[in-house]
Amino acid sequence: MTSLLEIDDMSVHFRVGSGLLKKGKTLKAVDKVSLHVNENETLALVGESGSGKSTLGRVVAGLGAPTSGTVRFRGAPLEVAGKIQMVFQDPFSALDPRMLVGDTVAEPLRLLGRGNAKERRERALALLDQVNLPQDAAERFPHEFSGGQRQRIAIARALVADPELIVADEPLSALDVSIQSQVLNLLMDLKESRRLTLLFISHDLAVVHHVADRVAVMYLGRIVEVSSRDDLFRNPSHPYTRALLQAAPKIGGRRSGQTHLLRGEIPSPLNPPRGCTFHPRCPMATDLCRQVAPILESAPGRPTQLAACHFKD
């Protein structure tokens, strides 16, 4: 398969608490991540809140810059210019309340200098139709729509410039459960019909199991496992992945086993643990884990399933 997006040893660090008399600390939101997204696939990026998923997604979408490392699109240094667009978590804050919906959807074309006003208008109306909104929606303001409808508007805006890659950052979590499936099915139908590539950021493993081709698991700024969806859900290599799967709600409210359920809270990225960052919460941790950070690599007999764990085999 052809890699559309390649992330190589990328870090995103922030200085916090610094001032005239204070040196401050370094917050490692993303730390030495290497990852690729294949053309036309859906790669799901999962992990708890604070793991760095959204920060990574924003850098890919051109809304932030890495502290170090590289991001390449089709083998060249990342230049977004309409080729990568983002659908945000909260459709209530993602849309300008003072702009008509038609102008909102057409805005990326104006910023990119594509077409004249009439052409941009026609393109916006066509996209509103594709996301199943009436064309008179173009003359209304975002507050006149429900949350699900606003997310459809946001999807139309993301598609108007014909991108190749969509970064969807928790696109369902702010919506009512009753309409999440509608928006998800719309997004996946558009992905197939337009042959898009999708970086799907989520904490909902049931949704990930439904949409993903591959899954990357992130913990405290690092990738700890990458695998095909089926291999990961059937036989995860990393104890953090096992804990996530076993802690996920099941039908009937039961969980499958208790051996690897998550303990405690995710540590602060301002002061990450030495060695394997997961070791304070891991039931398998040894002195080796507390001292030496494991490498993300395949386990014996699993050439396409990568895990950063000393005991992945």
Side-chain angles (χ1 to χ4, degrees):
M1 300 182 70
T2 303
S3 291
L4 183 69
L5 181 80
E6 296 173 322
I7 301 171
D8 184 26
D9 203 31
M10 186 183 82
S11 294
V12 183
H13 296 172
F14 302 102
R15 296 293 292 177
V16 297
S18 58
L20 184 62
L21 301 176
K22 296 173 63 178
K23 184 178 180 180
K25 295 183 178 181
T26 299
L27 189 153
K28 298 180 178 180
V30 178
D31 194 29
K32 299 180 180 178
V33 164
S34 294
L35 193 64
H36 71 275
V37 185
N38 294 319
E39 193 169 7
N40 302 135
E41 81 166 344
T42 298
L43 175 69
L45 186 62
V46 304
E48 295 170 281
S49 296
S51 61
K53 308 185 304 294
S54 293
T55 301
L56 187 150
R58 291 179 67 87
V59 170
V60 168
L63 301 177
T67 305
S68 62
T70 59
V71 184
R72 303 177 71 84
F73 185 80
R74 291 200 178 280
L78 181 64
E79 294 181 6
V80 178
K83 295 297 184 181
I84 303 175
Q85 292 292 323
M86 192 164 188
V87 177
F88 296 92
Q89 175 178 354
D90 184 5
F92 298 93
S93 61
L95 304 175
D96 189 334
R98 297 165 296 181
M99 288 183 68
L100 292 171
V101 165
D103 295 334
T104 294
V105 174
E107 182 72 356
L109 296 177
R110 186 188 69 80
L111 294 174
L112 292 168
R114 296 185 187 176
N116 55 40
K118 181 176 182 294
E119 292 168 339
R120 293 194 293 267
R121 174 75 173 182
E122 291 174 350
R123 177 69 174 155
L125 292 176
L127 261 298
L128 288 172
D129 181 64
Q130 288 186 36
V131 299
N132 302 319
L133 288 173
Q135 291 197 353
D136 66 0
E139 304 302 327
R140 296 155 65 186
F141 289 96
H143 75 267
E144 300 179 59
F145 296 89
S146 67
Q149 290 173 322
R150 292 190 208 190
Q151 198 62 295
R152 290 171 184 267
I153 295 167
I155 292 171
R157 180 180 62 183
L159 295 177
V160 73
D162 287 323
E164 296 182 61
L165 172 66
I166 294 289
V167 179
D169 185 10
E170 300 273 10
L172 310 178
S173 63
L175 306 179
D176 291 340
V177 174
S178 59
I179 59 174
Q180 286 182 358
S181 61
Q182 298 175 24
V183 174
L184 179 63
N185 289 335
L186 170 67
L187 187 61
M188 299 313 295
D189 287 345
L190 290 169
K191 174 192 178 294
E192 292 301 317
S193 64
R194 291 170 166 269
R195 295 189 59 79
L196 294 167
T197 302
L198 187 62
L199 177 59
F200 190 89
I201 301 170
S202 181
H203 68 277
D204 190 328
L205 293 173
V207 171
V208 167
H209 189 268
H210 179 67
V211 305
D213 298 304
R214 289 189 303 128
V215 182
V217 182
M218 200 166 184
Y219 183 79
L220 210 62
R222 297 182 180 181
I223 301 295
V224 297
E225 183 161 0
V226 184
S227 174
S228 71
R229 176 198 61 193
D230 292 342
D231 285 343
L232 182 132
F233 277 85
R234 180 172 55 242
N235 190 17
S237 288
H238 198 282
Y240 177 60
T241 309
R242 289 196 290 273
L244 287 178
L245 292 174
Q246 293 175 358
K250 304 293 191 300
I251 294 175
R254 296 187 299 175
R255 294 183 172 97
S256 57
Q258 299 294 320
T259 305
H260 297 288
L261 289 182
L262 287 171
R263 305 179 301 186
E265 299 295 328
I266 188 169
S268 170
L270 285 170
N271 187 28
R274 182 183 177 187
C276 175
T277 55
F278 185 59
H279 84 254
R281 307 174 72 189
C282 181
M284 300 172 59
T286 67
D287 286 342
L288 175 64
C289 306
R290 298 180 185 97
Q291 297 172 12
V292 180
I295 298 172
L296 183 67
E297 59 186 2
S298 61
R302 302 187 192 185
T304 61
Q305 193 169 2
L306 309 179
C309 178
H310 293 299
F311 303 104
K312 55 185 167 291
D313 56 345

